[in-house]
Amino acid sequence: MHEMSIAQSLIDIIDQEMKKHGVTKLLKVKVMHGRLANVVPEALHFAWQALTLETPFEGAELVTEEVPLKVRCKQCGITFEPEDATLLLMICPQCGEEFGHEVLSGKELYIENLEAE
C-alpha cells in the first residue's frame, strides 16, 4: 500500500509549511490526485488517520479530489478524456487512434491547500 508512504510525505511537507508560517494546528488539507497516480482515496484516508493518531495533526480533515485524465491525440490533435476504465487503450473519439497520446492531466499528486491556525 503506497498510500502509507504518500501520507507520511504529506505529513512531512505539511509540518514544514506550518513551521514556516508559524501555525500550530492543522484543520484541513486538500490533496489532488490524478487518475493515473493510482491513489486509492480510502486507503489514503486510512493511512492518514493511522499516522496522525496522537500527533498534532490528529483530527485534521483530509479531503481528496481526483484530477480527470485528459490526453491529446498524437494523430489528429484533439483533446479528450478517455472513458476506458482499464486505461490500456485510449481510443480517440475523432480518428480512432489507440496509443501514444500526450497526457495533459491525470498524473498529478499535490497538496491543493491547507487550513491551519
Side-chain angles (χ1 to χ4, degrees), residues 14-26 114 116-117:
I14 293 166
D15 185 50
Q16 291 173 13
E17 286 300 309
M18 288 178 62
K19 287 177 182 171
K20 188 187 322 181
H21 296 283
V23 293
T24 57
K25 181 166 178 60
L26 180 66
L114 303 173
E117 53 185 39

Side-chain angles (χ1 to χ4, degrees), residues 35 69-102:
R35 187 169 169 195
L69 174 61
K70 291 184 184 178
V71 298
R72 180 178 297 121
C73 178
K74 72 171 185 173
Q75 191 70 28
C76 68
I78 71 157
T79 299
F80 66 99
E81 293 183 24
E83 294 182 22
D84 186 351
T86 64
L87 302 175
L88 295 175
L89 293 176
M90 294 185 273
I91 301 170
C92 176
Q94 183 167 307
C95 71
E97 182 64 42
E98 298 175 345
F99 301 104
H101 306 302
E102 176 188 3

Side-chain angles (χ1 to χ4, degrees), residues 40-52:
V40 178
E42 296 81 10
L44 184 57
H45 284 271
F46 177 79
W48 175 263
Q49 288 178 348
L51 291 174
T52 58

Side-chain angles (χ1 to χ4, degrees), residues 5-63:
S5 63
I6 292 170
Q8 185 60 59
S9 294
L10 290 172
I11 290 168
D12 294 343
I13 293 167
I14 293 166
D15 185 50
Q16 291 173 13
E17 286 300 309
M18 288 178 62
K19 287 177 182 171
K20 188 187 322 181
H21 296 283
V23 293
T24 57
K25 181 166 178 60
L26 180 66
L27 304 172
K28 182 177 180 180
V29 59
K30 182 175 182 181
V31 175
M32 304 296 289
H33 62 93
R35 187 169 169 195
L36 294 178
N38 292 320
V39 172
V40 178
E42 296 81 10
L44 184 57
H45 284 271
F46 177 79
W48 175 263
Q49 288 178 348
L51 291 174
T52 58
L53 199 62
E54 298 181 10
T55 73
F57 297 150
E58 184 173 13
E61 180 183 6
L62 173 66
V63 177

